[in-house]
Amino acid sequence: MSGARTDIEAVQAANTALYDAIERGDLEAMADSWMDDRVSVVHPGWPVLSGRAEVLRSYALIMAGTEYIQFILTDVEVSVSGDTALVTCTENILSGGPREEDGSTGPLVGGVVAATNVFRRTHDGAWKVWAHHSSPIIVEEEEDAEESVGPDGPIEPPGPDDP
């Protein structure tokens, strides 16, 4: 197996481990996914957070306020250049808030986020997150996406018999 293929697989595994730790609410495992210094994160709607303590605190706050979270990653692309790797993906997120008073699951909310994870290879060969940046993707309502309006009113999409 080539070194490049092995690196890509190792980065994919490190990326998966990051999301798995967040889903489990395992702050220790999530922290282990990050480099020790000069890290940064941008969560959707947040400012840039820099430094390991600030980054880990942000995840601790997110995990404390989220009863349930699941990431379904799509469009995952990995590239490696030397000791740096770039992962881009779409995070399809399903999350829920604190449980209701009766013990039932809180309301679930879905969202779609474009994410970039930058990994660095450490001196012991492990791939660790150096930076994470995520931004919400605005999804049009299905009706809005299918119908356009021109100067003379609605524009119908072409049918199968239209040229």
Side-chain angles (χ1 to χ4, degrees), residues 15-28:
N15 194 63
T16 298
L18 171 69
Y19 287 100
D20 287 350
I22 297 167
E23 285 183 350
R24 291 189 318 271
D26 187 341
L27 188 58
E28 187 175 321

Side-chain angles (χ1 to χ4, degrees), residues 60-84:
L61 290 170
I62 291 168
M63 290 177 182
T66 306
E67 184 73 26
Y68 173 83
I69 191 162
Q70 179 182 10
F71 294 92
I72 300 166
L73 303 182
T74 57
D75 309 315
V76 179
E77 297 287 334
V78 179
S79 61
V80 177
S81 179
D83 291 333
T84 304

Side-chain angles (χ1 to χ4, degrees), residues 69-152:
I69 191 162
Q70 179 182 10
F71 294 92
I72 300 166
L73 303 182
T74 57
D75 309 315
V76 179
E77 297 287 334
V78 179
S79 61
V80 177
S81 179
D83 291 333
T84 304
L86 179 69
V87 178
T88 58
C89 62
T90 301
E91 299 174 355
N92 300 275
I93 306 168
L94 183 61
S95 64
R99 292 194 176 278
E100 301 292 337
E101 287 182 25
D102 65 2
S104 63
T105 304
L108 294 176
V109 177
V112 181
V113 174
T116 302
N117 296 319
V118 181
F119 289 83
R120 295 292 312 260
R121 188 188 336 247
T122 62
H123 66 287
D124 64 355
W127 288 96
K128 302 284 184 169
V129 183
W130 188 21
H132 169 79
H133 186 126
S134 54
S135 178
I137 297 173
I138 298 171
V139 180
E140 293 183 33
E141 293 293 324
E142 198 169 305
E143 288 178 18
D144 293 343
E146 291 179 6
E147 182 179 299
S148 298
V149 178
D152 298 324

